[in-house]
Amino acid sequence: MHSILITGGAGFIGSHLTRLFVTRYPNYRVVNLDKLTYAGNLENLKDIEGMPNYQFVKGDVTDLEQVRGLFAEHRFTGVLHCAAESHVDRSITDPLSFVTTNVLGTAAVLQAAKEAWTGAMDDKVFYHISTDEVYGSLGKEGFFTEKTAYDPRSPYSASKASSDHMVRAFYHTYGLPVKISNCSNNYGPYHFPEKLIPLCIHNIINSKPLPVYGKGENVRDWLYVEDHVRAIDLIFHQGKVGETYNIGGHNEWTNIDLVKELCRQMDEKLGRDKGTSEQLITFVKDRAGHDLRYAIDATKLKNELGWVPSLQFEEGISKTIDWYLANKEWLDDVTSGNYLRYYDQQYHKR
Ligand code: NAD
Ligand code: DAU
């Protein structure tokens, strides 16, 4: 019986990952440690909250005593470390919270794992979920491979690069059995509407402006979130210890073309006249230090573990829009802050 710690399991990717592990591996015990920041939402896990192999713990990855206590109580054999501050724009206004959670938090979870596993590392896995942004910004040509030199340029990507280095340091120095993946931009259900795709879906529904930074020429490589967590599952179980795997969609879009595609599909789904939503597009001041282009070469993952993305983008976006239209209450709650007020009340009582 495996006992798995997932950190940040109430966030966007973490909730999909938690659902996958809890439902696919009923013989694993899964503990989800999440601080429930603005980005963490237990509504994302409503469908699995009663499963016998699942437990939620509210807590902070920077709290070494708490993480140590969880290792002692649950005797984890695996860690899927997802918890992070994840939004680039927030890192520009508040870099230190990114250093705290992403660097110190990762170091604390590594330290707790090292203490618990020293002398018995063989059957253990410490999996660190990271981002392609650590590699910096591409020009019009080329792709990020696992050998690309790190060149982070925002406080967010610098904090993630730093956490990746710390994970590798624990592998080389203490023999901690680590695995790392660096993934491109995810999209799908439960994506917090501060990020481009869910923000635009929310604003199109409400006929609000669609803010496109600069000229909208920046390029991102989009991957459906369920394909990402399927890759994590494969790497966790079959990837090599000490290795890094890039995960990406081979699906590059300029922001402006992506927003237009969202407008096109949503006009159809909402029964609006063709071109209606495009009129909402508003070019705004560019993001400081805005990386021009990200694009992943995922050949290693394909050749070693046979992983390829399962969904075409137009299909994935259509599914995603349908989910948001069918879950307007979720969207209204997270945008109105209702759920944050609920958690304040709920956990204040305890
Ligand atoms: P998210 O912001 O949606 O979720 C982050 C989760 O971490 C939230 O549930 C939050 O409450 C929790 N958290 C934050 N600080 C914490 C702390 N101190 N202690 C415990 N929990 C804490 O993020 P996401 O988009 O789901 O990203 C998850 C991970 O995947 C991150 O490490 C991110 O760097 C990485 N990643 C994201 C993408 C993407 O496109 N979203 C792509 C590649 C990699
Ligand atoms: O590449 C992986 C990364 O993708 C993850 O590590 C991050 O956690 C995740 O947030 C994401 O980072 P981006 O900065 O690429 O995602 P975001 O959705 O914030 O922005 C996507 C692009 O759209 C980017 O070029 C900035 C632009 N943008 C974004 C917002 C929020 C706009 O033009 N307008 C907006 O309002």
Side-chain angles (χ1 to χ4, degrees):
M1 169 118 179
H2 274 302
S3 176
I4 310 278
L5 171 65
I6 299 184
T7 69
F12 166 47
I13 295 169
S15 60
H16 288 274
L17 189 60
T18 304
R19 178 174 300 101
L20 180 74
F21 269 68
V22 167
T23 54
R24 184 158 191 202
Y25 303 107
N27 60 331
Y28 290 10
R29 169 138 205 89
V30 176
V31 175
N32 169 15
L33 171 66
D34 198 296
K35 187 178 174 182
L36 300 180
T37 66
Y38 78 94
N41 185 355
L42 290 181
E43 285 297 314
N44 300 358
L45 294 163
K46 203 84 193 136
D47 53 328
I48 60 155
E49 67 183 7
M51 302 277 276
N53 61 335
Y54 171 69
Q55 185 184 336
F56 172 72
V57 176
K58 185 174 188 299
D60 193 327
V61 289
T62 65
D63 182 347
L64 180 57
E65 281 311 312
Q66 183 181 26
V67 184
R68 273 187 184 132
L70 289 175
F71 268 88
E73 183 184 347
H74 297 282
R75 301 190 172 282
F76 298 123
T77 52
V79 174
L80 289 157
H81 179 46
C82 226
E85 289 294 337
S86 69
H87 191 38
V88 174
D89 293 324
R90 286 181 191 256
S91 83
I92 294 168
T93 47
D94 179 20
L96 294 191
S97 63
F98 283 68
V99 175
T100 303
T101 296
N102 299 358
V103 186
L104 301 181
T106 300
V109 184
L110 285 164
Q111 176 66 17
K114 182 194 102 158
E115 289 172 5
W117 293 349
T118 293
M121 301 272 193
D122 280 356
D123 54 345
K124 311 294 193 304
V125 179
F126 187 105
Y127 191 129
H128 179 58
I129 286 120
S130 194
T131 170
D132 61 355
E133 298 199 13
V134 298
Y135 298 122
S137 180
L138 289 166
K140 289 204 181 323
E141 303 287 314
F143 296 91
F144 298 133
T145 74
E146 290 80 1
K147 293 198 165 66
T148 303
Y150 275 30
D151 184 22
R153 294 150 43 99
S154 74
Y156 164 68
S157 54
S159 68
K160 290 297 290 186
S162 185
S163 66
D164 291 9
H165 289 320
M166 197 56 85
V167 172
R168 292 196 184 96
F170 271 66
Y171 169 65
H172 291 293
T173 310
Y174 309 110
L176 197 77
V178 308
K179 299 180 185 183
I180 300 180
S181 56
N182 296 84
C183 188
S184 64
N185 288 61
N186 285 214
Y187 70 97
Y190 303 111
H191 203 183
F192 195 83
E194 64 184 353
K195 311 277 169 65
L196 180 67
I197 289 179
L199 177 87
C200 286
I201 293 174
H202 173 258
N203 288 9
I204 291 171
I205 292 172
N206 295 291
S207 298
K208 286 175 152 177
L210 308 176
V212 174
Y213 297 161
K215 293 182 181 160
E217 286 168 350
N218 303 67
V219 174
R220 296 294 182 265
D221 172 2
W222 293 95
L223 179 69
Y224 194 64
V225 61
E226 287 179 6
D227 278 333
H228 183 191
V229 299
R230 199 166 46 77
I232 295 174
D233 180 16
L234 257 183
I235 297 165
F236 180 82
H237 288 99
Q238 295 173 39
K240 290 190 195 127
V241 166
E243 296 272 326
T244 294
Y245 295 85
N246 279 358
I247 310 172
H250 254 300
N251 176 43
E252 294 181 49
W253 287 73
T254 61
N255 293 336
I256 188 66
D257 286 347
L258 168 59
V259 172
K260 285 183 178 168
E261 174 64 15
L262 281 172
C263 291
R264 188 189 66 76
Q265 289 206 22
M266 287 196 68
D267 281 347
E268 264 178 38
K269 288 179 195 285
L270 293 169
R272 293 179 183 166
D273 289 342
K274 209 172 158 192
T276 305
S277 299
E278 272 199 26
Q279 289 170 15
L280 299 169
I281 292 175
T282 312
F283 292 96
V284 298
K285 187 170 177 286
D286 209 352
R287 172 184 280 174
H290 197 172
D291 289 339
L292 177 66
R293 174 173 166 255
Y294 306 141
I296 281 279
D297 178 346
T299 308
K300 176 176 174 181
L301 184 57
K302 183 178 174 200
N303 289 350
E304 283 191 19
L305 301 179
W307 177 91
V308 284
S310 70
L311 277 187
Q312 291 300 312
F313 189 58
E314 285 78 357
E315 187 190 347
I317 276 293
S318 173
K319 270 178 81 162
T320 302
I321 297 169
D322 289 345
W323 184 87
Y324 280 95
L325 291 176
N327 289 276
K328 281 207 187 113
E329 209 180 315
W330 182 93
L331 200 51
D332 289 344
D333 275 356
V334 298
T335 45
S336 73
N338 272 351
Y339 84 102
L340 281 181
R341 278 194 287 280
Y342 164 77
Y343 287 128
D344 277 351
Q345 286 162 10
Q346 182 70 7
Y347 288 100
H348 197 63
K349 279 191 298 196
R350 292 186 177 183

